[in-house]
């Protein structure tokens, strides 16, 4: 039995909801995430009552772009966000906010997609490439993959259009020739004729992409709430990774993300794969995070960044210890 099987074996939750306490007593939390495949643990925690039994009333909002996600967290409109870990670093380095990454997630599932007319990397030269924010996260992945194939940052035009939904749509409308895209959008893009040039994880190595982060001041003032939230998330994640729940999990995808069943099935198989799927128990990949910081320094300049500045995994440790 491997480590993943040992952790998730017995994690099957009965379908249905469990309600502890009255709705009026529930602590309200507003989350912001990008619409996409990595949110399945949140959908499961909500559907199976993991939030409700901990007296948490959770509202999930979808981010149109990383600027809104970061500004909303800074303004207190959202208490917790799940997004690329580099968005947290950007908040600390550019907005000078005291943030804390509290849980890991995934390696981004990103692939570099190009339009059908691009046969070689050299064909991208002088043309627009599409990103969310030009100085965070998956934009750096794109620049790094292009650099590996001889294209410096000044060799192409960087166009900011928003999240993955917007990047796929913009590519299909001819606004750019290349972008980083992950499932389910990459599946749709491939079916529409876009070309897959390979995965970021294979090109760049370990990469801590999806992560949950908060304002450090909020975490300190709401420690019990944060620990309970992390427990509910981990519980939802364990349910997701137990393949006995495959059919129910696919149904959550079809309901919550309006996915066709065949695409939902492919997405589920991606997030539950033993290598490159959702991290068991949301474990944080320190080697992958160092690579995130290395890419930021490479393309933004400045001195090396210390990972400890952006982390507080103590709440995660408390959550796991009590489960």
């Amino acid at each position: 039995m491997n480590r993943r099987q040992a952790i998730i074996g017995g994690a099957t939750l009965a379908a249905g909801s469990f309600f502890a306490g009255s709705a009026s007593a529930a602590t309200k939390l507003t989350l912001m995430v990008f619409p996409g495949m990595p949110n399945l643990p949140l959908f499961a925690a909500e559907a199976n009552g993991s939030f409700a039994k901990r007296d948490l009333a959770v509202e999930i909002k979808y981010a149109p772009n990383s600027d809104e996600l970061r500004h909303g967290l800074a303004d207190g409109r959202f208490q917790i966000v799940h997004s690329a870990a580099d968005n947290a670093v950007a908040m600390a380095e550019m907005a000078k906010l005291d943030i804390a990454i509290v849980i890991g997630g995934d390696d981004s599932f990103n692939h570099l997609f190009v339009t059908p007319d691009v046969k070689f990397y050299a064909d991208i030269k002088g043309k627009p490439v599409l990103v969310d924010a030009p100085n965070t996260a998956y934009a750096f992945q794109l620049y790094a993959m292009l650099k590996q194939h001889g294209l410096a940052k000044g060799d192409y035009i960087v166009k900011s259009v928003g999240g993955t939904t917007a990047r796929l749509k913009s590519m299909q409308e001819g606004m750019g020739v290349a972008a980083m895209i992950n499932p389910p959008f990459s599946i749709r893009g491939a079916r529409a004729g876009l070309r897959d040039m390979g995965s970021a994880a294979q090109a760049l190595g370990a990469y801590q992409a999806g992560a949950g982060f908060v304002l450090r001041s909020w975490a300190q003032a709401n420690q019990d709430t944060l620990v309970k939230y992390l427990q509910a998330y981990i519980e939802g994640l364990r349910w997701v990774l137990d393949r006995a729940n495959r059919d129910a999990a696919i149904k959550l995808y079809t309901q919550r993300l309006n996915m066709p069943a065949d695409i939902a099935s492919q997405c589920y198989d991606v997030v539950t794969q033993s290598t490159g799927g959702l991290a068991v128990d949301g474990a944080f990949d320190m080697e992958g995070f160092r690579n995130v910081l290395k890419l930021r320094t490479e393309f933004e300049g400045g001195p090396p960044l210390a990972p400890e500045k952006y982390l507080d995994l103590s709440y995660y440790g408390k959550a796991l210890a009590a489960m």
Side-chain angles (χ1 to χ4, degrees):
M1 179 179 288
N2 61 33
R3 179 171 177 265
R4 177 183 288 265
Q5 291 169 329
I7 292 175
I8 66 175
T12 302
L13 303 178
S17 298
F18 302 87
F19 296 96
S22 66
S24 61
T27 300
K28 295 181 179 179
L29 289 175
T30 303
L31 316 181
M32 177 155 272
V33 300
F34 282 95
M37 187 176 70
N39 298 322
L40 190 55
L42 292 172
F43 302 155
E46 188 173 57
N48 294 335
S50 297
F51 291 133
K53 73 180 182 181
R54 292 176 173 86
D55 292 326
L56 299 177
V58 174
E59 180 184 11
I60 301 172
K61 291 183 175 291
Y62 290 136
N65 52 61
S66 56
D67 283 341
E68 167 62 9
L69 180 141
R70 294 194 300 265
H71 291 156
L73 182 63
D75 295 342
R77 289 183 282 122
F78 323 123
Q79 291 75 55
I80 303 170
V81 300
H82 289 265
S83 178
D86 188 69
N87 275 319
V89 179
M91 290 184 71
E93 295 304 313
M94 297 191 294
K96 305 304 179 185
L97 292 167
D98 195 6
I99 54 80
I101 297 171
V102 295
I103 191 170
D106 59 73
D107 70 1
S108 81
F109 308 109
N110 270 338
H111 284 230
L112 172 57
F113 273 78
V114 298
T115 50
D117 55 303
V118 174
K119 307 300 182 185
F120 306 98
Y121 278 91
D123 296 335
I124 298 172
K125 190 168 185 177
K127 297 174 182 175
V129 301
L130 306 177
V131 301
D132 181 355
N135 54 0
T136 60
Y138 303 155
F140 296 147
Q141 285 186 335
L142 175 61
Y143 306 154
M145 289 185 71
L146 295 180
K147 184 178 179 181
Q148 286 180 349
H149 293 271
L151 293 174
K153 196 175 174 186
D155 290 336
Y156 45 84
I157 303 161
V158 178
K159 183 179 292 187
S160 178
V161 297
T164 312
T165 307
R167 294 198 297 278
L168 175 59
K169 183 174 183 290
S170 297
M171 282 188 75
Q172 293 175 314
E173 293 176 349
M175 294 176 60
V177 300
M180 302 306 297
I181 304 179
N182 53 27
F185 310 100
S186 55
I187 298 171
R188 291 171 173 160
R191 292 183 179 185
L194 298 182
R195 298 184 63 234
D196 186 349
M197 303 293 277
S199 77
Q202 289 180 343
L204 306 176
Y207 188 89
Q208 177 60 66
F213 52 96
V214 299
L215 294 179
R216 201 178 298 268
S217 58
W218 181 87
Q220 291 168 348
N222 298 275
Q223 296 184 37
D224 183 59
T225 296
L226 179 54
V227 168
K228 289 194 293 184
Y229 170 81
L230 293 172
Q231 288 177 329
Y233 180 90
I234 293 167
E235 197 169 84
L237 175 58
R238 289 179 177 180
W239 182 89
V240 166
L241 294 181
D242 184 348
R243 291 185 67 86
N245 300 315
R246 186 177 190 275
D247 290 346
I250 290 171
K251 187 174 181 179
L252 283 177
Y253 268 148
T254 63
Q255 292 173 339
R256 297 301 301 270
L257 294 177
N258 196 28
M259 282 186 195
D262 60 331
I263 292 181
S265 176
Q266 287 183 253
C267 287
Y268 180 79
D269 289 340
V270 171
V271 298
T272 57
Q273 60 192 359
S274 58
T275 301
L278 291 171
V280 173
D281 280 353
F284 189 81
D285 182 353
M286 187 63 76
E287 178 188 356
F289 190 49
R290 289 193 178 97
N291 200 18
V292 169
L293 299 178
K294 177 185 173 186
L295 288 178
R296 169 164 285 278
T297 299
E298 179 179 351
F299 292 106
E300 288 293 290
L305 303 172
E308 295 76 16
K309 175 180 178 181
Y310 315 100
L311 302 176
D312 189 342
L313 299 176
S314 63
Y315 306 102
Y316 173 78
K318 291 176 183 177
L320 273 183
M323 293 183 73

